[in-house]
Amino acid sequence: MEGGKPTLALVYQAVQALYHDPDPAGKERASVWLGELQRSMYAWEISDQLLQLKQDVESCYFAAQTMKMKIQTSFYELPPETHIALRDSLLSHIQNLKDLSPIIVTQLALAIADLALQMASWKGCVHTLIEKYNNDISSMTFLIEILTVLPEEVHSRSLRIGANRRTEIIEDLAYYSSTVVTLLTSCVEKTGNDEKMLIKVFRCLGSWFNLGVLDSNFMATNQLLMVLFQVLQRDETSTNLHEAASDCVCSALYAIENVDTNVALALQLFQGVLTLETAYHMAVAREDLDKVLNYCRIFTELCETFLETTVRSPGQGMGDLRTLELLLICAGHPQYEVVEISFNFWYRLGEHLYKTNDPALHSIFRPYIQRLLHGLARHCQLDPDHEGIPEDTDDFGEFRMRVSDLVKDVIFLVGSMECFSQLYSTLKEGNPPWEVTEAVLFIMAAIAKSVDPENNPTLTEVLEQIVLLPETVHMAVRYTSIELVGEMSEVVDRNPRFLDPVLNYLMKGLREKPLASVAAKAIHNICSVCRDHMAQHFQGLLDIARALDSFALSTEAAVGLLKGTALVLARLPLEKIAECLSDLCAVQVLALKKLLAQNPSNGKTADPTVWLDRLAVIFRHTNPIVENGQTHPCQKVIQEIWPVLSETLNTHQADNRIVERCCRCLRFAVRCVGKGSASLLQPLVTQMVSVYQVYPHSCFLYLGSILVDEYGMEDGCRQGLLDMLQALCMPTFQLLEQANGLRNHPDTVDDLFRLATRFVQRSPVTLLSSSIIVHIIQCAIAATTLDHRDANCSVMKFVRDLIHTGVSNDHEDDFEVRKQLIAQAMEQHGQQLVTQLMHTCCFCLPPYTLPDVAEVLWEVMVFDRPTFCRWLENALKGLPKETSGGAVTVTHKQLTDFHKQVTSAEECKQVCWAIREFTRLFR
């Protein structure tokens, strides 16, 4: 903070403003200032003083939260000799403030827990806390709060205590776990049915179950388990207590996932949960949805825990199928939110049975899946008084989508064809109300693709019946029947006689506003699957495309229709393609020309993105088969369109969103005709470079990578492309060298290294011999620390591919030159790269990026193992060996073991495993 340590009065003033200033700007100023204070060294002393003065809830909450934050993120600021004083001070604060507010107690409990985890000199913290406070009933509330958050914080992301310290702590907590449970038991005995205390006890017990340190034999006979189930069986239990007890049982069930090693506790929980069926029915009768949802969570967790036992020995012992009965009872509840809780279990059951592939086993579970599907079809019914089409964006629409996914995953157990036929017969034989018909069609649409379309009379009969549906049926039934037709495009492809009636049916839908988008999607599906049969209907598709905006289509549906049209266009005879493509693009080109001719209103020009996106989708999917030597039929059209795209790009050069769409459109145009776009190369590159100097939109770098990919192998283009790269790099480096430049512009990093990687792949010697390569490598080393999925992936891929060119394709003429150039680069940057990568994967990057880091290290090692061994040793020497709390982060043996594992690895995945284990020591 500038201006030294602020006075307490000033801090009070800021806290008051944060909570009570009526002016939002005042609140914001206070928030920024307090945030700066929290990051400063003064925060330790000031928050300690505020807690001591205990002036009001707000200032104490701010101080407690600051303490917690400082201990989590800035513990290294305190010298070790102050740790004990800090601990004693925090314990005295929590005791003095225990009655002020529960949220302050929680923040202080978190601060104490985070301190205990980092302070290696505080041995047996659980034991000392229990000894100090367990005889004073008034201290119980905060003691139990500390004991609740302590196990939760062991795996906290914000504490980097490292695997060694974490293992030491977990062993310590396991050692004292029965002491904690005994404390909780005596607490329940002393306070009887005090609801608040019971909730605290259950939360604490659940926290210890979650950490997985409780002795399961000790717990199996413990009285707390009985109390838990008594609370859940009692009809008069309050909502809050019921939820706490349910959470605790779920944690216990999760903790015994490995049933065979926890048999005694598993049996107690299994029998306990089965006794809750009556209580569930009672909650249903009382219409207490909160309790119903809790019971369903418990039943689902029970089934998840005993899943393997159930599949291994169905109907025997703890493989008792009454567990599935409980879930099916929940599936019968009228509220769909109840059955939804169990979806993950049914997925997993399906996956297990699919892998075991045992017909006898499948036949045991089939009736349960049939009943589930029956229940799901009922849950998918819309309200009888629903008007219009089914909504797919509200909660119920999303539920139906999840049902559709689940049905697809478990249908193999029942048999797609059998289920499809049964569903159809309910429509054919009965005369169900519209909402039942719609739900049945919805489930049929979910499984239509998995039914074998070969010589299948039921499928063809369904198609015949659907296209005959009168326009008088409910709108939702028509909507879902159109979806079903779209899903049955394979059947249409095998039975082309249906193409005309199906298209007529879909055209009717296309002309009605509510059905237009779903009909367009179905036509798109049919175009994708029946491309050859649809060629004769191309004129009809073209007519639709020309009149696209006369239909009430969503943007996505309009683009889908054009995609379908382009797919069919690519199947026309080559000589017809150019003319038809020109017709298809004409509408969009005309619209763009019209926009360019308009005078901007209020200084704003009209938005061309709709037309650019439509052109992009046409170019993307018009991919005819062109023999060598033939001129690409799309070449002429793209050359004609280029001036309009160029002018659009110029007009909107300041607008990132529109420039991005222009580049996307050009990218697909270039990809469409490949080398046939050579005449555009010069003007396109010139324009890109000139706009990029003023407006560095990262999409130009991406477009550049496409050009390098297409033309990088052509001798006549290499120098021009290198000039382009150098011209684009200058403004890019300026942007990335600003404060936090890498973090603020991850898209630029991503696209820059895509471009550089394409160069490495297509023309490595051109790039490696240039003066720009040193700057690109330096930028890459700096960017390895960037925690952004795409950007980091691009950087690592560039470095990996760059080094790989020193060993790959050793039969090619330029191999020796490549090898020598890489050797020079490695001599210059190798040690810096390896040191940075080790630091990065220990302190900056999330675990999912480690395979990429491993691949880079592997390539460095393959290129020159002896030198790499030396570089790695130097990098490891620079890593910290102790935490600021005095705990050992990494031992000498762990360092030498890791060095040996990496340098003796025979394949890349061994390097990856070694890094994964090693970096845990720093997390």
Side-chain angles (χ1 to χ4, degrees), residues 166 168 176 270 272 348 414 449 495 509 565 597 632 775:
R166 200 167 275 116
E168 184 188 336
Y176 291 111
F270 187 84
R348 283 187 59 205
V414 182
K449 275 199 175 124
N495 303 277
T565 308
H632 198 291
H775 303 288

Side-chain angles (χ1 to χ4, degrees), residues 234-308:
R234 272 206 309 271
D235 182 33
E236 60 276 11
T237 298
S238 74
T239 306
N240 289 346
L241 180 56
H242 197 275
E243 186 173 2
S246 302
D247 288 343
C248 188
V249 171
C250 288
S251 297
L253 284 164
Y254 185 75
I256 57 153
E257 193 93 70
N258 190 347
V259 175
D260 300 338
T261 55
N262 298 295
V263 178
L265 179 57
L267 193 59
Q268 288 298 323
L269 289 167
F270 187 84
Q271 290 167 342
V273 174
L274 287 181
T275 63
L276 300 178
E277 187 184 335
T278 317
Y280 168 83
H281 289 301
M282 196 64 181
V284 173
R286 292 199 184 281
E287 296 187 358
D288 189 336
L289 186 60
D290 288 332
K291 285 188 181 175
V292 167
L293 291 167
N294 285 336
Y295 288 125
C296 188
R297 277 196 301 135
I298 294 172
F299 299 156
T300 303
E301 201 62 66
L302 176 78
C303 288
E304 295 250 18
T305 296
F306 292 97
L307 173 60
E308 293 193 15

Side-chain angles (χ1 to χ4, degrees), residues 478-642:
R478 291 180 64 199
Y479 180 94
T480 306
S481 68
I482 290 173
E483 269 191 321
L484 176 54
V485 171
E487 292 297 307
M488 292 176 75
S489 40
E490 293 277 356
V491 185
V492 180
D493 193 42
R494 306 287 159 91
N495 303 277
R497 68 180 190 280
F498 284 117
L499 193 56
D500 284 4
V502 161
L503 287 175
N504 289 335
Y505 181 65
L506 295 177
M507 278 308 298
K508 274 184 207 160
L510 195 62
R511 291 193 190 96
E512 286 185 53
K513 188 177 178 182
L515 303 174
S517 291
V518 73
K521 191 178 168 191
I523 294 172
H524 163 206
N525 277 357
I526 287 182
C527 289
S528 306
V529 176
C530 318
R531 289 168 77 170
D532 294 322
H533 297 307
M534 282 298 291
Q536 58 184 346
H537 291 279
F538 183 75
Q539 193 52 49
L541 289 171
L542 192 57
D543 293 341
I544 294 173
R546 283 185 179 136
L548 209 49
D549 291 311
S550 66
F551 304 108
L553 296 175
S554 67
T555 313
E556 187 189 1
V559 165
L561 253 178
L562 288 174
K563 175 183 169 182
T565 308
L567 289 170
V568 176
L569 167 63
R571 284 288 198 268
L572 297 180
L574 274 189
E575 64 277 5
K576 284 199 170 165
I577 289 181
E579 185 194 341
C580 292
L581 178 65
S582 189
D583 286 349
L584 187 56
C585 295
V587 181
Q588 345 301 328
V589 175
L590 213 67
L592 286 173
K593 281 182 174 167
K594 205 167 154 190
L595 291 184
L596 290 168
Q598 278 174 12
N599 287 323
S601 58
N602 316 329
K604 273 195 165 180
T605 41
D607 186 348
T609 50
V610 171
W611 313 105
L612 291 169
D613 286 353
R614 289 180 184 181
L615 278 176
V617 81
I618 294 168
F619 294 144
R620 184 177 190 173
H621 297 285
T622 306
N623 41 18
I625 297 154
V626 182
E627 301 295 327
N628 268 347
Q630 286 180 308
T631 305
H632 198 291
C634 305
Q635 190 174 320
K636 182 166 157 288
V637 182
I638 286 170
Q639 280 166 348
E640 286 165 5
I641 292 176
W642 159 248

Side-chain angles (χ1 to χ4, degrees), residues 674-713:
K675 305 277 185 295
S677 58
S679 62
L680 300 186
L681 196 54
Q682 187 64 49
L684 174 55
V685 168
T686 308
Q687 186 172 4
M688 279 164 57
V689 168
S690 84
V691 175
Y692 193 78
Q693 305 299 320
V694 191
Y695 300 107
H697 303 299
S698 74
C699 50
F700 285 127
L701 300 172
Y702 188 91
L703 187 52
S705 73
I706 303 294
L707 297 176
V708 172
D709 196 37
E710 290 290 345
Y711 293 100
M713 313 275 278

Side-chain angles (χ1 to χ4, degrees), residues 751-824:
D751 292 331
L752 171 69
F753 287 102
R754 270 175 203 269
L755 169 56
T757 304
R758 288 288 192 213
F759 237 113
V760 167
Q761 292 164 346
R762 294 285 173 257
S763 184
V765 176
T766 312
L767 180 63
L768 286 163
S769 319
S770 71
S771 56
I772 197 82
I773 186 65
V774 177
H775 303 288
I776 294 177
I777 292 174
Q778 284 292 352
C779 183
I781 292 174
T784 54
T785 58
L786 191 58
D787 176 7
H788 180 282
R789 193 182 284 263
D790 294 338
N792 196 280
C793 187
S794 280
V795 172
M796 296 298 177
K797 184 170 170 38
F798 163 71
V799 182
R800 184 188 71 211
D801 286 9
L802 182 77
I803 301 164
H804 189 65
T805 49
V807 292
S808 63
N809 302 330
D810 51 7
H811 57 280
E812 289 178 2
D813 298 343
D814 64 354
F815 174 65
E816 285 305 324
V817 183
R818 274 187 282 128
K819 188 175 166 187
Q820 192 188 343
L821 288 166
I822 292 295
Q824 283 170 8

Side-chain angles (χ1 to χ4, degrees), residues 196-233:
K196 278 189 176 165
M197 187 51 84
L198 270 178
I199 291 175
K200 282 187 173 301
V201 166
F202 291 160
R203 266 194 59 221
C204 185
L205 183 60
S207 173
W208 286 75
F209 267 128
N210 286 335
L211 190 62
V213 293
L214 294 180
D215 179 318
S216 68
N217 290 329
F218 174 72
M219 285 312 300
T221 55
N222 189 274
Q223 192 201 337
L224 278 181
L225 216 54
M226 265 169 38
V227 177
L228 261 178
F229 284 111
Q230 281 166 0
V231 164
L232 288 168
Q233 283 157 356

